[in-house]
Amino acid sequence: MKKLAILLFFTPLFVKAQIADSVKYAGSVKYYTKIIADKPGDAEAYYKRGSAKSKLKSYQEAIKDFDKAISLNPKYQDAFIDRGRAKDNLEDYKGAIADYSAAILIKPTAIAYYERAVTKAHMDDHKAAILDFDKSIALDPNDEDAYNERGVEKKILEDYKGAMADYARAIAINPTGPNPYYNRGIAENITKNYTAAMADFNKVATLTPEDPDVYYSRGNTKRYTKNYQAAIDDYTTAIKLSPDFINAYNNRSVAKYNLKDYAGAIADADKIIALDPKYADGYYNRGLAQDGLANYNDAIEDYTKYITLTPKEADGYFKRGTSKLNLDDDNGAVEDLNKAIVIDKEYADAYYNLALAKKSLGDYKGAIEGYTKYIALEPKDGDAFNNRGNAKRLLGDTTGACADFRKGVEYGNTQAVGNLAKYCK
């Protein structure tokens, strides 16, 4: 019995093969229907018809046939496993686990533990999934898929060392299987081992050159290493292979922004929003690009849409507040920056910009408070010390101002040098 794998990247669609398979499975349904008519007590015929229906994605009908097969043969292990798969596809995870457990009671097999692990993974019960993959591997230590999928679960639990070991074991068993290379590349990206990630994604690209996701992920690696144009090239390839690949448009928009190609970034963001008007990052990225073009009013509109979709994200309020600051709407900036800080009390840049807005409003005490909180998070920023020193000076605190100007000089702020000479004789 062939197992099902958790695939983390797109599989190329071979349309002609799919059509041929559909014809084959439809023919199987007809064939076993005739056998069942002649032999209504034939459990195997029900099982095979159910399997064909499952392959046609007629899961409810398949389950009825598996039910009948099991009623005729209560020890029919394959029927329990395939019924579990059908239930898993219908997101009846508890029912699927019950079927796999029944199969294990009949006889513990690697495939039954493997499939139960897959369903537990679908339920986000990753620790339990690993335990079942452990049992599957103990029964079949040469199953590359079990190592690969256990690696995926370990990665989710941030056990990157364990995940890497499992991917390496899967690759040792089958050096031409693309999944472990791909999944290892993802883990290497997370752990910032970008050279190794590039090698793994390059390998996947040679094994499955029509897979758009490998170009997307390799593009991410290049973007993380600030090789933005090369990243754009990979995202473009991913989009050519999958024209509605929204994440590729999103990350290409980011890479274009990084290259200050703001018009290009906006074009990609427009495409994202056209594909999915509720894709929040499309508005966020377009807002960034509008900021880059000094179109602050348009940026504010985009950040407002982003905030509507993600009201608990501090970034939206910070960016909108900063755009308002650039339009001299200091009160509006204060309101948004305070909201960002409520969400994320360690958002250093929000404190800094809040201090700028309060200083513009003549609230020097509020500005000092903002700079003080920023400095607590960024204690070696000479600009912040110089700015806080100016605010203290305007409140008549010459001693405090001079102390800040000295710190500003210590941390490389050139304006603090002049202020120290002018105000602290």
Side-chain angles (χ1 to χ4, degrees):
M1 180 182 293
K2 189 175 180 182
K3 69 172 68 68
L4 301 181
I6 308 169
L7 297 179
L8 293 191
F9 59 97
F10 298 129
T11 303
L13 298 176
F14 301 104
V15 178
K16 291 183 179 178
Q18 285 186 325
I19 293 171
D21 285 344
S22 294
V23 172
K24 171 186 173 181
Y25 298 133
S28 293
V29 170
K30 291 181 180 178
Y31 178 77
Y32 287 109
T33 297
K34 291 179 181 178
I35 290 178
I36 288 167
D38 293 334
K39 299 178 180 179
D42 189 337
E44 185 177 12
Y46 282 104
Y47 167 73
K48 290 186 175 180
R49 188 173 71 175
S51 295
K53 288 177 178 178
S54 273
K55 291 180 174 69
L56 291 169
K57 298 184 179 180
S58 297
Y59 300 119
Q60 294 284 11
E61 291 301 312
I63 288 170
K64 292 177 183 178
D65 276 343
F66 295 137
D67 288 346
K68 185 65 176 179
I70 290 166
S71 71
L72 292 167
N73 179 5
K75 299 291 184 181
Y76 204 149
Q77 186 183 49
D78 285 352
F80 279 107
I81 291 173
D82 276 12
R83 188 172 71 178
R85 289 171 172 165
K87 290 177 180 178
D88 182 276
N89 278 300
L90 292 172
E91 299 184 6
D92 175 12
Y93 299 132
K94 289 184 179 180
I97 286 175
D99 277 340
Y100 298 137
S101 298
I104 290 165
L105 285 174
I106 293 167
K107 181 181 179 182
T109 61
I111 193 166
Y113 282 114
Y114 177 95
E115 298 296 352
R116 191 170 72 175
V118 169
T119 295
K120 289 178 178 179
H122 291 161
M123 297 175 73
D124 293 327
D125 191 354
H126 304 295
K127 290 182 180 179
I130 288 171
L131 292 175
D132 272 345
F133 283 129
D134 290 345
K135 292 174 182 176
S136 178
I137 288 167
L139 290 166
D140 184 0
N142 292 313
D143 183 357
E144 64 187 275
D145 290 337
Y147 286 104
N148 178 62
E149 306 306 343
R150 188 174 69 177
V152 171
E153 297 307 296
K154 289 179 179 178
K155 177 182 71 67
I156 291 170
L157 293 176
E158 299 182 2
D159 175 13
Y160 301 117
K161 184 178 180 180
M164 298 285 193
D166 276 342
Y167 299 140
R169 179 60 180 157
I171 289 166
I173 294 169
N174 179 14
T176 62
N179 286 13
Y181 290 107
Y182 178 85
N183 291 335
R184 189 169 68 179
I186 295 294
E188 286 159 346
N189 266 351
I190 293 170
T191 56
K192 299 183 179 180
N193 190 1
Y194 299 125
T195 300
M198 280 294 298
D200 277 335
F201 292 136
N202 287 341
K203 180 68 174 179
V204 179
T206 64
L207 293 170
T208 56
E210 299 302 311
D211 170 25
D213 208 50
V214 66
Y215 299 102
Y216 167 77
S217 294
R218 190 173 68 180
N220 288 342
T221 306
K222 292 175 179 177
R223 184 167 57 86
Y224 299 149
T225 56
K226 299 184 179 181
N227 192 358
Y228 299 124
Q229 187 55 57
I232 288 168
D233 293 341
D234 269 346
Y235 295 139
T236 300
T237 300
I239 289 165
K240 286 180 180 177
L241 292 167
S242 180
D244 292 341
F245 197 162
I246 197 165
N247 288 342
Y249 283 108
N250 182 68
N251 288 10
R252 190 172 71 174
S253 178
V254 173
K256 288 178 178 178
Y257 172 82
N258 292 140
L259 288 176
K260 298 185 179 180
D261 175 12
Y262 302 128
I266 289 170
D268 277 343
D270 288 342
K271 180 65 176 178
I272 293 164
I273 293 163
L275 288 169
D276 182 1
K278 293 185 178 180
Y279 193 96
D281 284 352
Y283 298 103
Y284 182 85
N285 291 340
R286 192 168 68 182
L288 290 178
Q290 297 287 11
D291 268 340
L293 292 170
N295 295 331
Y296 302 122
N297 187 58
D298 291 336
I300 287 168
E301 290 183 7
D302 277 330
Y303 295 138
T304 299
K305 291 175 181 175
Y306 175 78
I307 289 167
T308 300
L309 293 167
T310 59
K312 295 182 180 180
E313 290 291 331
D315 273 351
Y317 293 104
F318 170 76
K319 292 295 184 183
R320 188 172 70 179
T322 302
S323 293
K324 289 178 180 179
L325 190 62
N326 284 320
L327 288 173
D328 297 324
D329 178 10
D330 298 318
N331 286 311
V334 167
E335 182 180 358
D336 274 342
L337 294 167
N338 275 326
K339 287 179 179 176
I341 290 164
V342 167
I343 295 169
D344 182 357
K345 290 181 173 55
E346 295 188 356
Y347 202 146
D349 288 346
Y351 288 113
Y352 190 95
N353 286 3
L354 180 63
L356 290 175
K358 288 190 174 182
K359 183 175 181 295
S360 293
L361 290 167
D363 179 6
Y364 303 125
K365 184 179 178 181
I368 290 168
E369 290 174 355
Y371 288 128
T372 298
K373 290 178 179 177
Y374 174 82
I375 289 168
L377 296 166
E378 298 289 342
K380 295 184 179 182
D381 189 325
D383 292 349
F385 280 106
N386 180 68
N387 289 352
R388 187 174 70 174
N390 274 318
K392 288 179 178 179
R393 179 182 60 82
L394 291 168
L395 281 178
D397 180 8
T398 303
T399 301
C402 290
D404 276 345
F405 292 146
R406 290 188 188 94
K407 280 289 188 181
V409 171
E410 180 184 345
Y411 295 125
N413 182 268
T414 56
Q415 290 182 350
V417 175
N419 287 334
L420 190 64
K422 184 175 180 180
Y423 300 112
C424 305
K425 296 178 182 178

Short mmCIF file of all heavy atoms in Angstrom, two decimals, residues 262-303:
data_model
loop_
_atom_site.label_atom_id
_atom_site.label_comp_id
_atom_site.label_asym_id
_atom_site.label_seq_id
_atom_site.Cartn_x
_atom_site.Cartn_y
_atom_site.Cartn_z
N TYR A 262 10.42 51.79 -7.00
CA TYR A 262 9.13 51.95 -6.35
C TYR A 262 7.97 51.72 -7.29
O TYR A 262 6.95 51.14 -6.90
CB TYR A 262 9.05 53.34 -5.71
CG TYR A 262 10.15 53.59 -4.70
CD1 TYR A 262 10.95 54.74 -4.78
CD2 TYR A 262 10.40 52.69 -3.68
CE1 TYR A 262 11.96 54.98 -3.84
CE2 TYR A 262 11.41 52.92 -2.75
CZ TYR A 262 12.18 54.05 -2.84
OH TYR A 262 13.18 54.28 -1.93
N ALA A 263 8.11 52.15 -8.54
CA ALA A 263 7.03 51.92 -9.51
C ALA A 263 6.83 50.43 -9.74
O ALA A 263 5.70 49.93 -9.82
CB ALA A 263 7.35 52.64 -10.81
N GLY A 264 7.94 49.69 -9.84
CA GLY A 264 7.84 48.24 -10.01
C GLY A 264 7.23 47.57 -8.80
O GLY A 264 6.43 46.62 -8.92
N ALA A 265 7.59 48.05 -7.63
CA ALA A 265 7.03 47.49 -6.40
C ALA A 265 5.52 47.72 -6.34
O ALA A 265 4.76 46.83 -5.94
CB ALA A 265 7.70 48.12 -5.18
N ILE A 266 5.09 48.90 -6.76
CA ILE A 266 3.65 49.22 -6.77
C ILE A 266 2.93 48.34 -7.78
O ILE A 266 1.82 47.84 -7.51
CB ILE A 266 3.44 50.71 -7.07
CG1 ILE A 266 3.88 51.55 -5.86
CG2 ILE A 266 1.97 51.00 -7.42
CD1 ILE A 266 3.94 53.04 -6.14
N ALA A 267 3.55 48.11 -8.95
CA ALA A 267 2.91 47.27 -9.97
C ALA A 267 2.67 45.86 -9.44
O ALA A 267 1.60 45.27 -9.67
CB ALA A 267 3.77 47.23 -11.23
N ASP A 268 3.65 45.31 -8.73
CA ASP A 268 3.47 43.98 -8.16
C ASP A 268 2.43 43.99 -7.05
O ASP A 268 1.63 43.05 -6.93
CB ASP A 268 4.80 43.44 -7.63
CG ASP A 268 5.65 42.81 -8.74
OD1 ASP A 268 5.11 42.50 -9.81
OD2 ASP A 268 6.86 42.63 -8.51
N ALA A 269 2.43 45.03 -6.24
CA ALA A 269 1.42 45.12 -5.18
C ALA A 269 0.02 45.22 -5.78
O ALA A 269 -0.93 44.62 -5.25
CB ALA A 269 1.71 46.32 -4.28
N ASP A 270 -0.10 45.98 -6.88
CA ASP A 270 -1.40 46.06 -7.57
C ASP A 270 -1.87 44.68 -8.01
O ASP A 270 -3.06 44.35 -7.90
CB ASP A 270 -1.30 46.98 -8.79
CG ASP A 270 -1.17 48.45 -8.43
OD1 ASP A 270 -1.50 48.81 -7.29
OD2 ASP A 270 -0.76 49.25 -9.30
N LYS A 271 -0.94 43.87 -8.52
CA LYS A 271 -1.28 42.52 -8.98
C LYS A 271 -1.74 41.66 -7.80
O LYS A 271 -2.72 40.91 -7.90
CB LYS A 271 -0.07 41.88 -9.65
CG LYS A 271 -0.30 40.47 -10.16
CD LYS A 271 -1.33 40.42 -11.28
CE LYS A 271 -1.48 39.01 -11.83
NZ LYS A 271 -2.51 38.94 -12.90
N ILE A 272 -1.04 41.79 -6.67
CA ILE A 272 -1.42 41.04 -5.47
C ILE A 272 -2.86 41.37 -5.07
O ILE A 272 -3.67 40.47 -4.82
CB ILE A 272 -0.48 41.39 -4.30
CG1 ILE A 272 0.94 40.90 -4.59
CG2 ILE A 272 -0.98 40.80 -2.98
CD1 ILE A 272 1.99 41.52 -3.69
N ILE A 273 -3.16 42.65 -5.04
CA ILE A 273 -4.48 43.10 -4.58
C ILE A 273 -5.56 42.67 -5.57
O ILE A 273 -6.68 42.32 -5.17
CB ILE A 273 -4.47 44.62 -4.36
CG1 ILE A 273 -3.56 44.96 -3.16
CG2 ILE A 273 -5.88 45.16 -4.14
CD1 ILE A 273 -3.14 46.40 -3.08
N ALA A 274 -5.21 42.64 -6.86
CA ALA A 274 -6.16 42.17 -7.87
C ALA A 274 -6.45 40.69 -7.68
O ALA A 274 -7.59 40.23 -7.85
CB ALA A 274 -5.61 42.44 -9.26
N LEU A 275 -5.42 39.92 -7.32
CA LEU A 275 -5.60 38.49 -7.10
C LEU A 275 -6.38 38.20 -5.82
O LEU A 275 -7.18 37.28 -5.76
CB LEU A 275 -4.24 37.78 -7.04
CG LEU A 275 -3.48 37.64 -8.36
CD1 LEU A 275 -2.04 37.17 -8.10
CD2 LEU A 275 -4.19 36.66 -9.29
N ASP A 276 -6.10 39.01 -4.78
CA ASP A 276 -6.75 38.79 -3.49
C ASP A 276 -6.84 40.11 -2.74
O ASP A 276 -5.88 40.54 -2.10
CB ASP A 276 -5.96 37.77 -2.67
CG ASP A 276 -6.62 37.47 -1.33
OD1 ASP A 276 -7.69 38.03 -1.05
OD2 ASP A 276 -6.06 36.65 -0.56
N PRO A 277 -8.01 40.77 -2.79
CA PRO A 277 -8.16 42.07 -2.12
C PRO A 277 -8.00 42.01 -0.60
O PRO A 277 -7.90 43.05 0.04
CB PRO A 277 -9.59 42.48 -2.50
CG PRO A 277 -9.92 41.69 -3.71
CD PRO A 277 -9.20 40.39 -3.55
N LYS A 278 -7.96 40.82 -0.03
CA LYS A 278 -7.78 40.70 1.42
C LYS A 278 -6.36 40.28 1.80
O LYS A 278 -6.10 39.95 2.95
CB LYS A 278 -8.79 39.70 1.98
CG LYS A 278 -10.24 40.19 1.88
CD LYS A 278 -11.21 39.24 2.56
CE LYS A 278 -12.64 39.78 2.49
NZ LYS A 278 -13.60 38.87 3.16
N TYR A 279 -5.47 40.30 0.85
CA TYR A 279 -4.06 39.97 1.10
C TYR A 279 -3.40 41.22 1.67
O TYR A 279 -3.00 42.12 0.95
CB TYR A 279 -3.40 39.51 -0.19
CG TYR A 279 -2.05 38.85 -0.01
CD1 TYR A 279 -1.92 37.47 0.05
CD2 TYR A 279 -0.88 39.61 0.08
CE1 TYR A 279 -0.69 36.86 0.20
CE2 TYR A 279 0.36 39.02 0.23
CZ TYR A 279 0.45 37.64 0.28
OH TYR A 279 1.68 37.04 0.43
N ALA A 280 -3.27 41.26 2.99
CA ALA A 280 -2.89 42.50 3.68
C ALA A 280 -1.53 43.04 3.24
O ALA A 280 -1.35 44.26 3.10
CB ALA A 280 -2.90 42.27 5.19
N ASP A 281 -0.57 42.16 3.03
CA ASP A 281 0.78 42.62 2.71
C ASP A 281 0.83 43.38 1.39
O ASP A 281 1.76 44.17 1.16
CB ASP A 281 1.75 41.45 2.68
CG ASP A 281 2.12 40.98 4.08
OD1 ASP A 281 1.73 41.65 5.05
OD2 ASP A 281 2.77 39.93 4.21
N GLY A 282 -0.12 43.13 0.50
CA GLY A 282 -0.16 43.89 -0.75
C GLY A 282 -0.31 45.38 -0.48
O GLY A 282 0.38 46.22 -1.10
N TYR A 283 -1.20 45.72 0.44
CA TYR A 283 -1.40 47.13 0.80
C TYR A 283 -0.18 47.68 1.55
O TYR A 283 0.24 48.82 1.31
CB TYR A 283 -2.66 47.28 1.66
CG TYR A 283 -3.91 46.84 0.95
CD1 TYR A 283 -4.51 45.62 1.25
CD2 TYR A 283 -4.50 47.64 -0.03
CE1 TYR A 283 -5.66 45.20 0.60
CE2 TYR A 283 -5.65 47.23 -0.69
CZ TYR A 283 -6.22 46.01 -0.37
OH TYR A 283 -7.35 45.60 -1.03
N TYR A 284 0.37 46.88 2.43
CA TYR A 284 1.53 47.32 3.21
C TYR A 284 2.70 47.63 2.27
O TYR A 284 3.33 48.69 2.37
CB TYR A 284 1.93 46.23 4.20
CG TYR A 284 3.09 46.58 5.09
CD1 TYR A 284 2.89 47.31 6.25
CD2 TYR A 284 4.39 46.18 4.78
CE1 TYR A 284 3.95 47.63 7.09
CE2 TYR A 284 5.45 46.51 5.59
CZ TYR A 284 5.23 47.23 6.75
OH TYR A 284 6.28 47.55 7.57
N ASN A 285 2.98 46.70 1.35
CA ASN A 285 4.11 46.90 0.44
C ASN A 285 3.87 48.08 -0.50
O ASN A 285 4.80 48.84 -0.81
CB ASN A 285 4.37 45.63 -0.37
CG ASN A 285 4.91 44.51 0.50
OD1 ASN A 285 5.42 44.75 1.58
ND2 ASN A 285 4.78 43.28 0.03
N ARG A 286 2.63 48.25 -0.94
CA ARG A 286 2.34 49.39 -1.80
C ARG A 286 2.49 50.69 -1.01
O ARG A 286 2.98 51.69 -1.54
CB ARG A 286 0.93 49.27 -2.39
CG ARG A 286 0.67 50.28 -3.52
CD ARG A 286 -0.58 49.95 -4.28
NE ARG A 286 -1.79 50.13 -3.47
CZ ARG A 286 -3.02 49.86 -3.91
NH1 ARG A 286 -3.21 49.38 -5.13
NH2 ARG A 286 -4.07 50.05 -3.13
N GLY A 287 2.11 50.65 0.27
CA GLY A 287 2.30 51.82 1.12
C GLY A 287 3.77 52.19 1.25
O GLY A 287 4.15 53.37 1.17
N LEU A 288 4.63 51.18 1.44
CA LEU A 288 6.07 51.43 1.53
C LEU A 288 6.58 52.11 0.26
O LEU A 288 7.36 53.07 0.33
CB LEU A 288 6.82 50.12 1.74
CG LEU A 288 6.67 49.40 3.08
CD1 LEU A 288 7.46 48.10 3.06
CD2 LEU A 288 7.14 50.28 4.22
N ALA A 289 6.16 51.57 -0.89
CA ALA A 289 6.62 52.15 -2.16
C ALA A 289 6.09 53.56 -2.35
O ALA A 289 6.81 54.44 -2.85
CB ALA A 289 6.20 51.25 -3.32
N GLN A 290 4.85 53.80 -1.95
CA GLN A 290 4.30 55.16 -2.03
C GLN A 290 5.09 56.11 -1.13
O GLN A 290 5.37 57.26 -1.50
CB GLN A 290 2.81 55.17 -1.64
CG GLN A 290 1.90 54.37 -2.56
CD GLN A 290 1.67 55.03 -3.92
OE1 GLN A 290 2.34 56.00 -4.29
NE2 GLN A 290 0.74 54.49 -4.68
N ASP A 291 5.48 55.63 0.03
CA ASP A 291 6.35 56.42 0.90
C ASP A 291 7.66 56.76 0.20
O ASP A 291 8.17 57.88 0.30
CB ASP A 291 6.65 55.65 2.20
CG ASP A 291 5.67 55.98 3.31
OD1 ASP A 291 5.01 57.04 3.24
OD2 ASP A 291 5.57 55.18 4.26
N GLY A 292 8.20 55.74 -0.48
CA GLY A 292 9.46 55.96 -1.19
C GLY A 292 9.36 57.03 -2.25
O GLY A 292 10.34 57.72 -2.55
N LEU A 293 8.16 57.18 -2.81
CA LEU A 293 7.93 58.21 -3.83
C LEU A 293 7.43 59.51 -3.20
O LEU A 293 7.08 60.44 -3.94
CB LEU A 293 6.90 57.70 -4.85
CG LEU A 293 7.36 56.54 -5.75
CD1 LEU A 293 6.17 55.98 -6.53
CD2 LEU A 293 8.47 56.99 -6.70
N ALA A 294 7.39 59.56 -1.89
CA ALA A 294 6.89 60.72 -1.14
C ALA A 294 5.40 60.96 -1.39
O ALA A 294 4.90 62.07 -1.16
CB ALA A 294 7.70 61.98 -1.46
N ASN A 295 4.69 59.92 -1.82
CA ASN A 295 3.24 60.00 -1.98
C ASN A 295 2.59 59.60 -0.65
O ASN A 295 1.94 58.56 -0.53
CB ASN A 295 2.76 59.08 -3.11
CG ASN A 295 3.26 59.51 -4.46
OD1 ASN A 295 3.49 60.69 -4.71
ND2 ASN A 295 3.43 58.55 -5.36
N TYR A 296 2.76 60.45 0.35
CA TYR A 296 2.39 60.08 1.72
C TYR A 296 0.89 59.90 1.89
O TYR A 296 0.44 59.04 2.65
CB TYR A 296 2.93 61.12 2.71
CG TYR A 296 4.43 61.27 2.64
CD1 TYR A 296 5.00 62.51 2.36
CD2 TYR A 296 5.25 60.18 2.83
CE1 TYR A 296 6.39 62.66 2.29
CE2 TYR A 296 6.64 60.31 2.76
CZ TYR A 296 7.20 61.55 2.48
OH TYR A 296 8.56 61.69 2.40
N ASN A 297 0.11 60.68 1.18
CA ASN A 297 -1.34 60.54 1.31
C ASN A 297 -1.80 59.17 0.79
O ASN A 297 -2.62 58.50 1.42
CB ASN A 297 -2.05 61.66 0.54
CG ASN A 297 -3.55 61.65 0.79
OD1 ASN A 297 -4.00 61.76 1.92
ND2 ASN A 297 -4.33 61.51 -0.27
N ASP A 298 -1.24 58.77 -0.38
CA ASP A 298 -1.57 57.44 -0.92
C ASP A 298 -1.08 56.35 0.02
O ASP A 298 -1.74 55.31 0.20
CB ASP A 298 -0.95 57.26 -2.30
CG ASP A 298 -1.61 58.15 -3.36
OD1 ASP A 298 -2.78 58.54 -3.16
OD2 ASP A 298 -0.95 58.46 -4.37
N ALA A 299 0.10 56.57 0.60
CA ALA A 299 0.64 55.58 1.54
C ALA A 299 -0.31 55.42 2.73
O ALA A 299 -0.57 54.29 3.18
CB ALA A 299 2.02 56.02 2.01
N ILE A 300 -0.81 56.53 3.25
CA ILE A 300 -1.72 56.48 4.39
C ILE A 300 -2.97 55.67 4.06
O ILE A 300 -3.44 54.86 4.86
CB ILE A 300 -2.10 57.91 4.85
CG1 ILE A 300 -0.89 58.56 5.55
CG2 ILE A 300 -3.32 57.90 5.78
CD1 ILE A 300 -1.05 60.05 5.79
N GLU A 301 -3.49 55.83 2.85
CA GLU A 301 -4.66 55.05 2.44
C GLU A 301 -4.35 53.56 2.43
O GLU A 301 -5.18 52.74 2.87
CB GLU A 301 -5.12 55.52 1.06
CG GLU A 301 -5.73 56.91 1.04
CD GLU A 301 -6.24 57.31 -0.33
OE1 GLU A 301 -6.24 56.45 -1.24
OE2 GLU A 301 -6.64 58.48 -0.50
N ASP A 302 -3.16 53.22 1.94
CA ASP A 302 -2.81 51.80 1.91
C ASP A 302 -2.58 51.25 3.31
O ASP A 302 -3.01 50.14 3.63
CB ASP A 302 -1.56 51.59 1.05
CG ASP A 302 -1.88 51.50 -0.44
OD1 ASP A 302 -2.99 51.05 -0.78
OD2 ASP A 302 -1.04 51.90 -1.26
N TYR A 303 -1.91 51.99 4.16
CA TYR A 303 -1.70 51.53 5.53
C TYR A 303 -3.03 51.39 6.27
O TYR A 303 -3.20 50.49 7.11
CB TYR A 303 -0.77 52.48 6.29
CG TYR A 303 0.64 52.53 5.75
CD1 TYR A 303 1.32 53.74 5.63
CD2 TYR A 303 1.29 51.36 5.34
CE1 TYR A 303 2.62 53.79 5.13
CE2 TYR A 303 2.59 51.40 4.84
CZ TYR A 303 3.24 52.63 4.73
OH TYR A 303 4.52 52.67 4.24
#
